[in-house]
Protein backbone atom coordinates (compact mmCIF):
# COMPACT_ATOMS: atom_id res chain seq x y z
CA UNK A 1 0.00 0.00 0.00
CA UNK A 2 1.45 3.36 -1.06
CA UNK A 3 -1.13 5.76 0.35
CA UNK A 4 -4.18 5.96 2.56
CA UNK A 5 -6.71 8.75 3.04
CA UNK A 6 -9.57 8.83 5.54
CA UNK A 7 -12.77 10.59 4.45
CA UNK A 8 -14.22 13.61 6.31
CA UNK A 9 -16.76 11.51 8.20
CA UNK A 10 -14.04 9.17 9.54
CA UNK A 11 -16.15 6.20 8.39
CA UNK A 12 -14.28 5.23 5.21
CA UNK A 13 -10.76 5.32 3.85
CA UNK A 14 -9.20 4.63 0.47
CA UNK A 15 -5.88 2.84 -0.04
CA UNK A 16 -3.72 2.85 -3.18
CA UNK A 17 -1.51 -0.16 -3.86
CA UNK A 18 1.14 -1.49 -6.25
CA UNK A 19 -1.13 -4.39 -7.28
CA UNK A 20 -3.36 -2.03 -9.32
CA UNK A 21 -6.11 -1.76 -6.72
CA UNK A 22 -7.55 1.08 -4.72
CA UNK A 23 -9.82 -0.19 -1.99
CA UNK A 24 -12.48 1.81 -0.17
CA UNK A 25 -12.71 0.44 3.38
CA UNK A 26 -15.59 0.74 5.85
CA UNK A 27 -13.86 1.69 9.10
CA UNK A 28 -16.88 0.87 11.26
CA UNK A 29 -17.54 -2.63 9.89
CA UNK A 30 -13.83 -3.40 9.22
CA UNK A 31 -14.49 -4.61 5.70
CA UNK A 32 -13.99 -3.69 2.06
CA UNK A 33 -16.76 -1.53 0.64
CA UNK A 34 -15.62 -1.39 -2.99
CA UNK A 35 -12.57 -1.70 -5.25
CA UNK A 36 -11.13 0.31 -8.10
CA UNK A 37 -8.87 -1.55 -10.54
CA UNK A 38 -6.49 -0.35 -13.26
CA UNK A 39 -3.39 -1.56 -15.05
CA UNK A 40 -0.99 0.50 -12.96
CA UNK A 41 0.84 0.60 -9.69
CA UNK A 42 -1.24 3.15 -7.81
CA UNK A 43 0.91 5.71 -5.98
CA UNK A 44 -1.85 7.87 -4.51
CA UNK A 45 -5.60 8.13 -3.98
CA UNK A 46 -7.25 11.32 -2.71
CA UNK A 47 -10.86 12.13 -1.86
CA UNK A 48 -12.28 15.29 -3.39
CA UNK A 49 -13.37 17.66 -0.57
CA UNK A 50 -17.06 16.94 -1.30
CA UNK A 51 -16.27 13.20 -0.91
CA UNK A 52 -18.08 12.25 -4.16
CA UNK A 53 -14.94 11.45 -6.17
CA UNK A 54 -11.44 10.04 -5.77
CA UNK A 55 -8.38 11.07 -7.78
CA UNK A 56 -5.70 8.45 -8.42
CA UNK A 57 -2.28 8.44 -10.04
CA UNK A 58 0.49 5.95 -10.66
CA UNK A 59 2.90 4.30 -13.03
CA UNK A 60 0.49 4.47 -15.98
CA UNK A 61 1.21 8.24 -16.13
CA UNK A 62 -2.49 9.05 -15.88
CA UNK A 63 -4.72 10.88 -13.42
CA UNK A 64 -8.05 9.14 -13.05
CA UNK A 65 -11.26 10.56 -11.56
CA UNK A 66 -13.43 7.88 -9.91
CA UNK A 67 -17.03 7.96 -8.68
CA UNK A 68 -17.04 6.88 -5.02
CA UNK A 69 -20.52 5.35 -5.04
CA UNK A 70 -20.24 3.38 -8.27
CA UNK A 71 -16.48 2.76 -8.09
CA UNK A 72 -16.30 3.63 -11.79
CA UNK A 73 -13.99 5.79 -13.88
CA UNK A 74 -15.36 9.22 -14.72
CA UNK A 75 -12.42 10.76 -16.58
CA UNK A 76 -8.81 9.92 -17.39
CA UNK A 77 -6.16 12.59 -18.02
CA UNK A 78 -2.95 11.78 -19.88
CA UNK A 79 -0.69 13.97 -17.83
CA UNK A 80 2.98 13.00 -18.04
CA UNK A 81 5.57 10.95 -19.87
CA UNK A 82 6.75 9.43 -16.58
CA UNK A 83 5.22 8.02 -13.37
CA UNK A 84 2.97 10.34 -11.37
CA UNK A 85 3.79 9.99 -7.68
CA UNK A 86 1.25 12.17 -5.90
CA UNK A 87 -1.76 14.45 -6.27
CA UNK A 88 -3.26 17.00 -3.88
CA UNK A 89 -6.61 18.76 -4.13
CA UNK A 90 -7.20 22.32 -2.91
CA UNK A 91 -9.50 22.66 0.12
CA UNK A 92 -12.18 24.30 -2.06
CA UNK A 93 -11.98 21.46 -4.62
CA UNK A 94 -11.48 23.81 -7.58
CA UNK A 95 -7.83 22.89 -8.32
CA UNK A 96 -5.43 20.00 -7.93
CA UNK A 97 -1.68 19.51 -8.24
CA UNK A 98 0.21 16.54 -9.70
CA UNK A 99 3.89 15.67 -9.32
CA UNK A 100 6.07 12.84 -10.51
CA UNK A 101 9.26 11.47 -11.94
CA UNK A 102 9.40 14.12 -14.70
CA UNK A 103 10.26 16.71 -11.98
CA UNK A 104 7.35 18.99 -12.99
CA UNK A 105 4.66 20.49 -10.74
CA UNK A 106 1.34 20.88 -12.55
CA UNK A 107 -1.65 22.89 -11.30
CA UNK A 108 -4.91 21.72 -12.90
CA UNK A 109 -8.48 22.96 -12.94
CA UNK A 110 -10.51 20.19 -11.28
CA UNK A 111 -13.66 20.58 -13.37
CA UNK A 112 -12.08 21.39 -16.74
CA UNK A 113 -9.17 18.92 -16.42
CA UNK A 114 -6.79 21.46 -17.97
CA UNK A 115 -3.26 22.11 -16.77
CA UNK A 116 -3.13 25.87 -16.15
CA UNK A 117 0.31 26.27 -14.54
CA UNK A 118 3.62 24.39 -14.62
CA UNK A 119 6.55 24.71 -12.24
CA UNK A 120 10.10 23.37 -12.64
CA UNK A 121 12.94 23.39 -10.15
CA UNK A 122 13.54 19.94 -8.66
CA UNK A 123 16.59 18.02 -9.88
CA UNK A 124 15.17 14.65 -8.76
CA UNK A 125 11.83 12.88 -8.90
CA UNK A 126 9.12 14.76 -6.99
CA UNK A 127 7.83 12.28 -4.44
CA UNK A 128 5.11 14.16 -2.54
CA UNK A 129 2.94 17.28 -2.70
CA UNK A 130 0.71 19.10 -0.20
CA UNK A 131 -1.39 22.27 -0.43
CA UNK A 132 -1.51 24.69 2.50
CA UNK A 133 -4.90 24.99 4.26
CA UNK A 134 -5.15 28.68 3.24
CA UNK A 135 -4.59 27.57 -0.38
CA UNK A 136 -1.73 30.02 -0.92
CA UNK A 137 1.18 27.57 -1.20
CA UNK A 138 2.11 24.22 -2.69
CA UNK A 139 4.88 22.31 -0.92
CA UNK A 140 6.80 19.60 -2.78
CA UNK A 141 9.61 17.26 -1.78
CA UNK A 142 11.97 15.46 -4.10
CA UNK A 143 14.24 12.45 -4.14
CA UNK A 144 17.22 14.83 -4.20
CA UNK A 145 16.27 15.97 -0.67
CA UNK A 146 14.88 19.38 -1.64
CA UNK A 147 11.73 20.94 -0.23
CA UNK A 148 10.14 23.59 -2.45
CA UNK A 149 7.39 26.09 -1.63
CA UNK A 150 5.45 27.34 -4.63
CA UNK A 151 3.12 30.35 -4.46
CA UNK A 152 -0.30 29.51 -5.85
CA UNK A 153 -1.45 32.17 -8.36
CA UNK A 154 -4.05 34.53 -6.90
CA UNK A 155 -6.53 33.46 -9.55
CA UNK A 156 -6.46 29.98 -7.99
CA UNK A 157 -6.91 31.14 -4.40
CA UNK A 158 -10.35 31.35 -2.83
CA UNK A 159 -11.94 34.78 -2.61
CA UNK A 160 -12.05 35.97 0.99
CA UNK A 161 -14.63 38.61 1.90
CA UNK A 162 -13.15 41.69 3.52
CA UNK A 163 -14.35 42.54 7.01
CA UNK A 164 -14.92 46.06 8.25
CA UNK A 165 -12.90 47.14 11.27
CA UNK A 166 -14.07 50.06 13.40
CA UNK A 167 -11.66 52.99 13.81
CA UNK A 168 -11.86 56.19 15.81
CA UNK A 169 -12.10 59.59 14.19
CA UNK A 170 -10.35 62.72 15.48
CA UNK A 171 -13.33 63.46 17.77
CA UNK A 172 -13.18 59.94 19.29
CA UNK A 173 -16.29 58.52 17.55
CA UNK A 174 -16.07 55.15 15.87
CA UNK A 175 -16.20 54.95 12.12
CA UNK A 176 -16.08 51.86 9.91
CA UNK A 177 -13.38 51.24 7.33
CA UNK A 178 -12.36 48.37 5.14
Amino acid sequence: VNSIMVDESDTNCVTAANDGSCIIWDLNQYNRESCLFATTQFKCAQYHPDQSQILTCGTDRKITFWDVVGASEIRILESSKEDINDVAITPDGEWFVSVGNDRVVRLWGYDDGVCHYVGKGHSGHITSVKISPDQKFIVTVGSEGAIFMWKIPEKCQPVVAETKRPTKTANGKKKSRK
Side-chain angles (χ1 to χ4, degrees):
V1 173
N2 293 315
S3 82
I4 184 169
M5 183 179 188
V6 178
D7 71 1
E8 280 189 3
S9 67
D10 294 331
T11 58
N12 293 302
C13 71
V14 61
T15 57
N18 280 342
D19 66 359
S21 70
C22 284
I23 300 174
I24 300 172
W25 299 93
D26 182 323
L27 297 176
N28 294 321
Q29 301 294 318
Y30 306 110
N31 63 15
R32 182 173 59 193
E33 206 168 86
S34 58
C35 294
L36 319 171
F37 294 105
T39 309
T40 188
Q41 293 176 356
F42 282 114
K43 301 283 186 154
C44 178
Q46 293 285 309
Y47 280 103
H48 184 275
D50 72 9
Q51 310 296 293
S52 68
Q53 295 180 6
I54 293 172
L55 273 188
T56 61
C57 65
T59 58
D60 63 355
R61 305 173 312 273
K62 298 174 184 170
I63 297 168
T64 305
F65 296 62
W66 300 84
D67 175 57
V68 170
V69 176
S72 58
E73 294 176 351
I74 298 170
R75 178 193 312 177
I76 299 173
L77 301 177
E78 302 280 341
S79 61
S80 177
K81 293 181 181 175
E82 297 192 41
D83 296 1
I84 303 169
N85 296 325
D86 203 4
V87 292
I89 305 170
T90 57
D92 67 5
E94 296 293 319
W95 303 89
F96 72 93
V97 180
S98 66
V99 298
N101 290 354
D102 64 359
R103 305 181 311 254
V104 177
V105 178
R106 291 179 174 86
L107 181 60
W108 303 78
Y110 192 92
D111 289 335
D112 65 14
V114 173
C115 180
H116 293 269
Y117 297 95
V118 172
K120 296 180 181 180
H122 281 277
S123 62
H125 300 162
I126 305 173
T127 56
S128 186
V129 62
K130 299 293 180 216
I131 297 170
S132 64
D134 65 3
Q135 206 165 304
K136 292 184 179 181
F137 294 96
I138 297 166
V139 180
T140 58
V141 295
S143 61
E144 79 278 47
I147 301 171
F148 280 43
M149 284 186 63
W150 309 82
K151 186 169 176 17
I152 295 178
E154 286 188 25
K155 150 185 174 176
C156 306
Q157 296 177 16
V159 177
V160 179
E162 290 186 36
T163 57
K164 294 183 179 183
R165 296 178 291 163
T167 60
K168 292 187 179 181
T169 61
N171 63 6
K173 293 184 180 177
K174 288 185 178 182
K175 135 182 153 174
S176 286
R177 69 177 168 124
K178 283 189 176 182

